[in-house]
C-alpha cells in the first residue's frame, strides 16, 4: 500500500481508536501490504484486525496465466458454490499487492483491465470471480455478507442465475459473468482518509468504509452498491412439485385400507393428513381419486354377514 496509506503501526493505532462497539460493517478497500514492515509491527496490526468483528479487506487482482495456487490467506474467503453451466466468471491468478496480514474475509476490489459496464441507468457490478476452480467474492459481495452476518456457505446460486443470501434474505440476479445490475449512484462515495475517520469516527452510522488514496476508483461507490444490493427484495417461492406416481398409488392403497375401519373420524383424519403432509413437504397429489374412493364407501355401506344357525 505504501506510505500514502500509512504504516502498519499507524493502521494498528487507527483500528484500535476507531473500532465500533458493535459488529457494524468495517471495510478497508485497499490491501494492507508492506514489504519493509517489521515483524513486531505486523503482529500488532494482526491483533487489531482479529479484534475488529465485521472487517472486510479489498485486494486488487489480475489474470496473467501464472498458474499459481490460491494463496493461503485467501482460502477462508472461498465460496463453496456450484456454478451453473454457461457461466463465465472473471478469472484471476495473481494478487497485485499480497496482504501482509490474515483476515477471515477478503474481497476482490478490482481486476486489472476489467471495467464496470453500464446497462441503461444501472451498473453491472461483479459479485463472483474465479481462481482456477475456486470461487471468491468481490469486495461488494464480501461486504454484503458481513453486513448481514452471513457466511459464504449461506449463499445459494440457482440455475437461473439468482443468488440467494440465505433462504430468507436478499436475492441478486446475476448474469452469466457473475454480475448484478444495480442502480447507478450519482454521488459516489467521497474518498475518506484514515486521518479524517480517526477524528470523526462517529460519522460511520451504518458502515465504516475506509478508502485509502491507493484504492482503485471503482471502490468509491461501494457504499451505494451495498445499499442498492440490500434493497433487493426476496421472492418467496411457493411452487409445489407433485409426488411420484408410485408413491401416490402406495399412499392411496394405504388410505383405502384405513377407510375399511369405517369410523366417523377416519375420513377427516385422512384428508387432514394428506393435505397437511403435502403442504409441509412442498409437494402435491391428486385428491380426486381419494375423494372418489370416499364417496364410493359412502354409497356402498358395509354389509353384515348373517348369523349362522346352530
Amino acid at each position: 500500500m505504501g506510505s500514502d496509506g500509512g504504516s502498519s503501526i499507524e493502521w494498528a493505532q487507527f483500528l484500535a481508536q476507531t473500532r465500533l462497539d458493535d459488529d457494524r460493517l468495517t471495510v478497508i478497500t485497499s490491501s494492507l501490504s508492506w514489504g519493509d514492515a517489521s515483524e513486531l509491527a505486523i503482529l500488532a496490526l494482526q491483533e487489531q484486525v482479529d479484534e475488529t468483528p465485521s472487517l472486510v479487506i479489498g485486494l486488487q487482482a489480475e489474470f496473467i496465466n501464472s498458474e499459481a495456487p490460491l494463496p493461503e490467506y485467501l482460502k477462508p474467503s472461498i465460496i463453496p458454490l456450484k456454478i451453473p453451466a454457461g457461466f463465465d466468471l472473471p478469472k484471476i491468478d495473481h494478487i497485485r499487492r499480497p496482504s501482509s496480514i490474515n483476515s477471515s474475509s477478503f474481497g476482490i476490489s478490482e481486476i486489472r483491465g476489467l471495467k464496470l459496464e453500464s446497462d441503461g441507468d444501472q451498473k453491472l457490478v461483479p459479485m463472483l470471480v474465479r481462481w482456477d476452480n475456486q470461487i471468491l467474492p468481490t469486495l461488494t459481495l464480501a461486504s454484503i455478507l458481513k453486513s448481514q452476518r452471513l457466511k459464504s456457505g449461506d449463499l445459494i446460486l440457482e440455475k437461473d442465475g439468482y443468488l440467494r443470501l440465505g433462504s430468507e434474505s436478499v436475492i441478486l440476479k446475476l448474469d452469466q459473468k457473475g454480475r448484478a445490475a444495480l442502480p447507478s449512484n450519482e454521488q459516489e462515495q467521497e474518498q475518506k482518509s484514515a486521518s479524517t475517520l480517526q477524528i470523526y469516527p462517529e460519522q460511520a452510522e451504518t458502515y465504516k468504509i475506509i478508502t485509502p488514496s491507493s484504492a482503485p476508483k471503482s471502490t468509491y461507490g461501494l457504499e451505494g452498491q451495498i445499499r442498492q444490493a440490500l434493497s433487493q427484495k426476496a421472492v418467496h417461492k411457493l411452487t409445489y412439485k407433485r409426488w411420484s406416481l408410485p408413491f401416490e398409488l402406495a399412499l392411496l392403497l394405504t388410505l383405502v385400507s384405513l377407510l375399511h375401519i369405517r369410523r366417523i373420524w377416519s375420513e377427516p383424519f385422512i384428508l387432514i393428513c394428506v393435505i397437511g403432509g403435502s403442504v409441509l413437504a412442498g409437494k402435491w397429489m391428486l385428491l380426486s381419486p381419494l375423494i372418489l374412493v370416499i364417496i364410493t364407501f359412502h354409497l356402498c355401506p358395509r354389509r353384515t354377514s348373517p348369523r349362522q344357525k346352530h
Side-chain angles (χ1 to χ4, degrees):
M1 191 168 59
S3 58
D4 56 353
S7 67
S8 54
I9 286 294
E10 290 172 338
W11 270 102
Q13 294 172 344
F14 167 66
L15 288 178
Q17 294 174 5
T18 62
R19 184 176 294 112
L20 302 175
D21 294 331
D22 52 29
D23 59 351
R24 281 177 290 175
L25 175 66
T26 300
V27 183
I28 301 175
T29 60
S30 184
S31 174
L32 298 178
S33 177
W34 297 269
D36 55 353
S38 67
E39 183 179 354
L40 185 60
I42 294 298
L43 289 176
L45 176 58
Q46 184 67 63
E47 181 180 1
Q48 296 303 321
V49 167
D50 293 340
E51 292 181 2
T52 303
S54 295
L55 176 65
V56 182
I57 301 175
L59 297 172
Q60 294 170 266
E62 59 187 348
F63 183 73
I64 57 175
N65 281 317
S66 67
E67 298 184 357
L70 186 73
E72 287 293 327
Y73 60 83
L74 276 179
K75 290 184 177 180
S77 301
I78 291 175
I79 297 179
L81 277 180
K82 182 178 180 181
I83 304 301
F87 270 61
D88 184 21
L89 301 181
K91 297 179 182 179
I92 60 173
D93 60 3
H94 181 253
I95 300 300
R96 294 170 57 188
R97 292 175 177 172
S99 178
S100 298
I101 51 90
N102 294 318
S103 174
S104 61
S105 182
F106 286 105
I108 305 303
S109 59
E110 181 188 48
I111 300 177
R112 176 179 284 183
L114 183 65
K115 296 182 179 180
L116 290 183
E117 297 181 15
S118 297
D119 183 11
D121 59 349
Q122 296 182 316
K123 281 188 176 180
L124 300 176
V125 180
M127 294 290 167
L128 301 172
V129 299
R130 184 192 297 274
W131 186 307
D132 196 14
N133 293 324
Q134 306 291 349
I135 306 302
L136 296 171
T138 63
L139 184 59
T140 302
L141 181 58
S143 301
I144 293 171
L145 288 175
K146 277 292 185 181
S147 70
Q148 298 299 292
R149 301 167 182 84
L150 295 172
K151 298 179 180 179
S152 58
D154 295 324
L155 288 175
I156 303 170
L157 181 58
E158 300 177 351
K159 292 182 179 179
D160 51 6
Y162 285 96
L163 183 65
R164 291 177 173 265
L165 282 67
S167 58
E168 302 294 334
S169 189
V170 176
I171 297 179
L172 297 174
K173 180 66 172 73
L174 304 186
D175 63 11
Q176 291 187 333
K177 294 184 179 180
R179 304 173 301 183
L182 301 177
S184 299
N185 187 18
E186 295 294 335
Q187 297 178 345
E188 289 189 333
Q189 170 192 346
E190 181 183 355
Q191 188 175 351
K192 301 175 184 178
S193 66
S195 59
T196 301
L197 281 175
Q198 194 166 354
I199 298 173
Y200 305 109
E202 69 278 1
Q203 290 180 353
E205 297 180 358
T206 307
Y207 311 125
K208 185 168 72 173
I209 299 179
I210 308 160
T211 308
S213 57
S214 59
K217 291 184 179 180
S218 59
T219 62
Y220 292 177
L222 179 62
E223 184 173 353
Q225 293 172 7
I226 296 173
R227 293 183 186 277
Q228 293 292 349
L230 293 178
S231 68
Q232 307 297 310
K233 301 298 183 182
V235 178
H236 301 283
K237 290 191 173 183
L238 298 177
T239 57
Y240 290 85
K241 295 182 180 179
R242 184 177 177 180
W243 294 106
S244 63
L245 184 59
F247 180 85
E248 284 192 27
L249 292 175
L251 183 61
L252 185 60
L253 291 175
T254 302
L255 297 178
V256 169
S257 64
L258 288 176
L259 286 173
H260 279 87
I261 300 175
R262 293 187 180 272
R263 295 288 188 268
I264 191 172
W265 51 264
S266 60
E267 294 165 8
F269 174 76
I270 289 172
L271 289 174
I272 291 173
C273 287
V274 171
I275 297 175
S278 297
V279 172
L280 293 176
K283 294 181 180 279
W284 62 276
M285 66 174 293
L286 288 177
L287 291 178
S288 52
L290 178 60
I291 294 174
L292 183 61
V293 170
I294 292 175
I295 294 174
T296 303
F297 266 74
H298 275 282
L299 295 178
C300 301
R302 183 179 180 182
R303 295 181 180 180
T304 57
S305 59
R307 295 182 178 180
Q308 295 180 352
K309 291 184 179 180
H310 297 281

